[in-house]
Amino acid sequence: MLQRLSPLKRLPHKAGLLVALLGFGISLGASAATRIVSLGGDVTETIYAIHAQDELAAVDSTSTWPEAARKLPDVGYVRQLSAEGVLALRPDLILATHDAGPATVMTQLRDAGVRIETLPASRSAADIESKIRTIGRLTGHDKEAAVLATEVARQFASLASAVAAMPSHPRTVFLMSTGQGSPMAAGRETAADRAIALAGGLNAATGIDGYKAVSPESLAAMKPDVILLMKEREEAVGGMAGVLVMPGIADTPAGKARRVYFVEGQALLGFGPRTAAAASDLQQRWAHLAP
């Protein structure tokens, strides 16, 4: 492994000079990457989980776990990146989640000579295992990735058995945002939809596509047994008490039974190394709910 230089010594005086240097092909192979920029919380979590973090030069703003990732340079929100901001870190490899962008910025980075490896969208246990192994190969940590992928597979197998043994599968609504106005519910083809299924629930919002605002009447008509929200939003919405007074909540089975759960969004919806454990925790919470 090459010795890492301090960021101050490696930074160019001008972004134009950096682009020129990269344009001449000053880059390293995947096995020798010493300055990796990680774009996506799930990608960053995986890098840390396979002990490849020593090669990390920067992350995006969604990379909030583990805590150590927050101490690295932040290149901004994964879908609203700046080419100059990323290039200033002089990466020799960018590992990006499938929706990193905008597309024009990703093209600029490639044109500057930076190697970019984009991971496909993950929505299943097999997808997560494949992603772990791919990141392991790209960072030269194949063995560590194999160990992690095997453990994640074991966790998902245990979860599947637990879900199969559930006496009922609760109707669930995942509210992605709340506050003034109607909350956003997660419908079909969303990460929340897949996470609910993995944990043994039934998404009660399958009548909508993507994330859409729902009226109090629509929410009540969904008749959810459980309502899920981001733990990151718990304080902002006033906790359980704040959710229960939202229009429509009190008219649902979940509201009447006070079955409102706050879950860690990135862990459950990120489809990374922690998703199996997060889904298992959720499954255990509602395993014995009455139909």
Side-chain angles (χ1 to χ4, degrees):
M1 189 65 67
L2 297 176
Q3 182 179 359
R4 296 182 64 182
L5 300 178
S6 70
L8 291 178
K9 290 182 180 179
R10 294 180 64 99
L11 284 175
H13 295 294
K14 294 182 179 180
L17 173 61
L18 175 60
V19 173
L21 289 173
L22 290 170
F24 278 104
I26 298 178
S27 61
L28 300 172
S31 61
T34 60
R35 294 192 63 78
I36 298 173
V37 170
S38 176
L39 303 178
D42 57 324
V43 178
T44 300
E45 287 188 22
T46 303
I47 289 173
Y48 273 90
I50 62 174
H51 309 295
Q53 65 270 20
D54 286 347
E55 287 78 44
L56 272 178
V59 298
D60 76 298
S61 62
T62 69
S63 299
T64 59
W65 195 93
E67 183 67 28
R70 303 188 184 192
K71 299 178 182 179
L72 293 171
D74 184 342
V75 297
Y77 180 53
V78 66
R79 297 185 186 180
Q80 298 175 353
L81 300 167
S82 160
E84 286 189 2
V86 176
L87 289 173
L89 276 302
R90 297 193 65 171
D92 49 42
L93 175 62
I94 294 175
L95 293 180
T97 188
H98 69 284
D99 56 357
T104 53
V105 169
M106 304 306 286
T107 298
Q108 289 172 351
L109 293 172
R110 289 189 177 92
D111 289 345
V114 183
R115 182 186 180 195
I116 301 176
E117 296 287 350
T118 301
L119 286 305
S122 301
R123 288 293 183 268
S124 70
D127 291 341
I128 296 173
E129 294 167 43
S130 177
K131 176 167 55 180
I132 291 170
R133 294 181 187 277
T134 298
I135 293 176
R137 174 175 55 81
L138 293 171
T139 60
H141 289 259
D142 304 74
K143 292 182 179 180
E144 296 92 333
V147 171
L148 177 61
T150 299
E151 171 58 20
V152 168
R154 185 198 65 76
Q155 292 176 0
F156 273 117
S158 177
L159 172 61
S161 296
V163 168
M166 290 173 62
S168 63
H169 301 275
R171 292 175 57 81
T172 306
V173 170
F174 203 119
L175 301 181
M176 295 301 295
S177 63
T178 56
Q180 294 183 347
S182 299
M184 301 285 290
R188 292 187 297 262
E189 302 301 320
T190 62
D193 179 52
R194 293 303 308 140
I196 289 172
L198 281 174
L202 300 174
N203 188 1
T206 53
I208 61 177
D209 293 319
Y211 300 99
K212 291 186 178 179
V214 290
S215 67
E217 294 76 17
S218 295
L219 185 58
M222 292 178 186
K223 300 180 179 179
D225 301 304
V226 175
I227 292 175
L228 302 178
L229 295 96
M230 295 272 205
K231 190 172 182 62
E232 296 86 339
R233 293 281 298 163
E234 184 171 4
E235 183 176 350
V237 301
M240 171 79 75
V243 175
L244 292 177
V245 298
M246 289 171 52
I249 298 293
D251 296 324
T252 66
K256 294 174 182 177
R258 300 175 63 88
R259 287 195 291 262
V260 176
Y261 302 157
F262 292 91
V263 297
E264 188 176 349
Q266 181 60 39
L268 182 64
L269 307 183
F271 285 82
R274 296 186 294 156
T275 295
S280 292
D281 288 344
L282 185 56
Q283 186 274 331
Q284 291 171 20
R285 295 182 72 174
W286 63 31
H288 302 293
L289 294 180

